Amino acid sequence: TYNFCVVVDDIDMAITHVIRGDDHVNNTPRQIHIFQALGHEPPVYAHLPTVLNEQGDKLSKRTGAKPVTQFRDEGFLPEAMVNYLARLGWSHGDDEIFSREQFVQWFNLDHLGKSAAQFDEAKLRWVNAQHLKAMSGGALAELVQPQLSAKGMASDHRLPDICELFKDRCDTTVVLADWAARFYQPVTPNSQDLALH
């Protein structure tokens, strides 16, 4: 039933390419036969390697995967997420950091990976940091300002310069907001600092 419904939906939606996980390889011949039985040309099929979690188990929505909104709330940029996820199953030589526009220009099915890829949050943070460094202080300020507001802090005209100053030290906008927050909250030195100075 599943295979029949998938084919009917693909025909209805005029799907030309199906790119999916390699756990669907065994469905492909069945679906091709159903396409042909219904008098339609099958789409081009490509299968991506399985993505494993950091423990080496298959990553799935049932086992350890975060919702995409959680990555947003943790300060990951959409461009960095696309960049990182693309590199899990595809490559363009040694290029690690690229924009969505570059990805669209470079992508082809010939460069899909063959072996399982492992999700690595440390690597994701590094990719995110590279995208943060490439952004202007003004663009970062637009992302950091709502985070400061959520902490009850009002930012001012200095925020773009503050973001520019600290962006090279940060791997997420949450970390950048924590640095910026120091400029918008009262200074409360601890007793050791007061005794020392």
Side-chain angles (χ1 to χ4, degrees), residues 31-46:
Q31 291 169 4
I32 289 171
H33 287 306
I34 294 169
F35 267 102
Q36 291 168 340
L38 295 175
H40 287 272
E41 188 67 29
V44 173
Y45 286 96

